[in-house]
Amino acid sequence: MEELQNVLHMNHGEGDNSYAKNSGQPKQAILKAKPLLEESIVELYCSNNFPGGDCIRFADMGCSSGPNALIPSWEAAEALHMAAMKQNRKPPTLQVFLNDLPGNDFNTIFKTLPSFHQKLKKLGKDHPDHDHESVSCFITAVPGSFHGRLFPPSFLHFVFSSFSLHWLSQVPEGLVSESGVPLNKENIYPAKTSPPGVHKAYLEQFEKDFTRFLKLRSEELIPGGRMVLTIRGNQSKEDSTKNYRPILMELIGMGLQAMVSEGMVEERKLDTFNVPMYAPSLEEIQNVIEREGSYNINLLEKFELSWEAGSVDINGDNSLDARVRQALKLIRSVSEPILASHFGNSIMDDLFKRLSIRLKDCMEKGVGILTNLLISLTKK
């Protein structure tokens, strides 16, 4: 597989299969976190009593591209503007750092900055009582992995991240036996048919990566700094036993298995591919935060989204087939780069056609639901 940092990105551009055109579900997660983000940044602003014009440094880690990329920055700016207005204070300056891997499509984000700043100016002019000064917002990109250090010590006031931290820094070690036999044969992710050692290896890699993320951010945040995170989650063991829901990567793996059996994909190709992603349970997340020890937990809860949440058919079609198409476009926009880097572009259309059949079957049975986690932390 190519170097992970070169292939871990969403589909670029604004085409039919691009992330920019198919990110309705991730937008729903950002909107789910909106009240918590606004409440947290206003509490930070008020408790630290920032003088008028002081700078609040806000990092969005794993910002990706497309229309969602600036939503958290807008929510933060709007909340600070309203808080300053209520207290009759000059609003602070907001310095935003958009972080993602170097392969991210930052150019698509930059094209939307003029309209973002126009909207921000309008925020102050639209106040009914007077022409209130709006928040000054300066936005820059910070290419790099959030699994490494990104900022100076005690520099940031606020960290936000949505639907990013389930991506691991590497494929877990321990997925090959001492004799060189792949342990997760016929799967690309810890599935029901994977041996316990595969699940253990993935959990250990996630715990290592998330612990490091928390530690690095604690070095970069000021004392009392805040973090709001959303992350793809998984069911607890108890919930999974009662009502098992497949992870989407399991369904993609099933499609690849069928293509191996038909001679369209080499068996060795499938057996040597494992997706560097782990969706933790709420209990697993809580254990890591408490062991790392740098933060107080303000909120830790689950929420659910359907696979096609936030997707709208341009013709207003809400049929099952239309919802499957919308869900498939999102999945393809997220997973195609890493899949194509290993299996080649030539099988992608066939693979996702097969996936659509499995998606439809799951959605008909009512298991087209994803568990997600919402987390609010304060640095001690």
Side-chain angles (χ1 to χ4, degrees):
M1 192 191 299
E2 294 181 34
E3 194 68 32
L4 273 180
Q5 290 202 13
N6 296 329
V7 296
L8 277 184
H9 59 77
M10 311 297 105
N11 272 343
H12 290 172
E14 298 177 88
D16 195 46
N17 291 322
S18 68
Y19 185 77
K21 287 286 181 68
N22 298 290
S23 51
Q25 189 205 63
K27 180 179 179 180
Q28 295 305 304
I30 294 173
L31 295 178
K32 174 69 177 178
K34 178 182 178 180
L36 191 58
L37 187 160
E38 293 177 336
E39 176 187 345
S40 299
I41 201 163
V42 168
E43 285 179 357
L44 175 75
Y45 170 61
C46 295
S47 63
N48 285 271
N49 195 28
F50 286 89
D54 258 22
C55 184
I56 294 179
R57 291 181 284 273
F58 177 97
D60 183 351
M61 299 194 176
C63 66
S64 194
S65 61
N68 294 348
L70 293 175
I71 293 176
S73 303
W74 169 258
E75 292 171 349
E78 185 179 38
L80 290 169
H81 171 81
M82 298 303 292
M85 194 168 58
K86 285 180 182 177
Q87 298 180 26
N88 199 26
R89 294 164 61 183
K90 181 180 179 181
T93 296
L94 183 65
Q95 187 173 11
V96 173
F97 300 93
L98 299 177
N99 160 254
D100 214 307
L101 292 172
N104 185 54
D105 186 7
F106 286 105
N107 283 340
T108 299
I109 304 174
F110 298 153
K111 290 175 185 177
T112 66
L113 285 180
S115 60
F116 176 88
H117 286 296
Q118 282 298 115
K119 186 179 175 184
L120 202 60
K121 288 179 182 177
K122 193 170 183 291
L123 184 65
K125 293 178 179 178
D126 283 352
H127 184 254
D129 295 331
H130 57 282
D131 189 1
H132 193 273
E133 186 176 350
S134 62
V135 172
S136 296
C137 186
F138 299 91
I139 299 176
T140 189
V142 181
S145 171
F146 51 58
H147 293 301
R149 187 70 181 268
L150 293 167
F151 298 98
S154 300
F155 180 76
L156 297 174
H157 299 97
F158 202 100
V159 170
F160 179 82
S161 181
S162 187
F163 276 16
S164 298
L165 292 172
H166 50 272
W167 290 106
L168 304 175
S169 64
Q170 65 178 55
V171 174
E173 297 177 351
L175 298 182
V176 179
S177 72
E178 292 183 2
S179 59
V181 177
L183 300 180
N184 201 28
K185 286 174 68 68
E186 299 185 347
N187 295 305
I188 64 173
Y189 183 84
K192 284 188 83 174
T193 57
S194 300
V198 170
H199 291 269
K200 182 173 182 289
Y202 265 88
L203 174 58
E204 287 178 350
Q205 185 64 49
F206 173 77
E207 289 177 336
K208 178 181 177 181
D209 284 345
F210 191 49
T211 298
R212 180 167 172 76
F213 174 86
L214 294 172
K215 182 178 184 299
L216 293 172
R217 302 298 82 81
S218 74
E219 294 171 2
E220 296 166 349
L221 281 164
I222 66 166
R226 305 293 289 266
M227 281 209 292
V228 171
L229 316 170
T230 73
I231 182 172
R232 292 283 193 204
N234 203 352
Q235 299 166 285
S236 66
K237 290 182 179 178
E238 182 180 343
D239 289 340
S240 182
T241 301
K242 292 177 182 176
N243 182 24
Y244 175 72
R245 297 175 188 158
I247 295 290
L248 286 168
M249 288 299 170
E250 294 180 61
L251 300 183
I252 294 174
M254 292 175 189
L256 288 165
Q257 289 173 30
M259 297 177 85
V260 168
S261 68
E262 296 170 23
M264 300 180 64
V265 171
E266 292 180 43
E267 184 176 2
R268 179 188 59 83
K269 279 275 189 181
L270 177 56
D271 290 346
T272 57
F273 181 77
N274 289 282
V275 178
M277 185 190 88
Y278 184 77
S281 68
L282 186 146
E283 294 85 356
E284 289 166 349
I285 280 278
Q286 183 172 350
N287 289 340
V288 174
I289 296 170
E290 290 176 348
R291 280 201 304 267
E292 196 278 332
S294 297
Y295 304 88
N296 292 317
I297 300 175
N298 306 314
L299 179 75
L300 179 55
E301 67 179 24
K302 294 188 287 188
F303 66 97
E304 296 181 337
L305 291 173
S306 66
W307 288 348
E308 77 280 13
S311 299
V312 179
D313 185 85
I314 57 174
N315 299 314
D317 186 353
N318 195 40
S319 67
L320 177 62
D321 286 341
R323 291 187 288 116
V324 169
R325 286 195 299 271
Q326 296 302 316
L328 189 71
K329 285 183 178 181
L330 168 62
I331 298 163
R332 183 164 185 168
S333 73
V334 171
S335 61
E336 185 170 26
I338 192 169
L339 290 168
S341 74
H342 187 80
F343 296 101
N345 286 306
S346 61
I347 71 163
M348 290 297 108
D349 286 344
D350 195 338
L351 175 60
F352 286 103
K353 184 177 180 180
R354 292 166 186 262
L355 178 60
S356 69
I357 297 170
R358 297 183 186 278
L359 281 177
K360 185 174 182 179
D361 180 60
C362 286
M363 291 166 71
E364 281 180 327
K365 294 175 180 176
V367 294
I369 301 291
L370 290 172
T371 299
N372 306 281
L373 307 178
L374 179 59
I375 308 158
S376 172
L377 305 173
T378 300
K379 180 185 168 183
K380 293 179 180 176

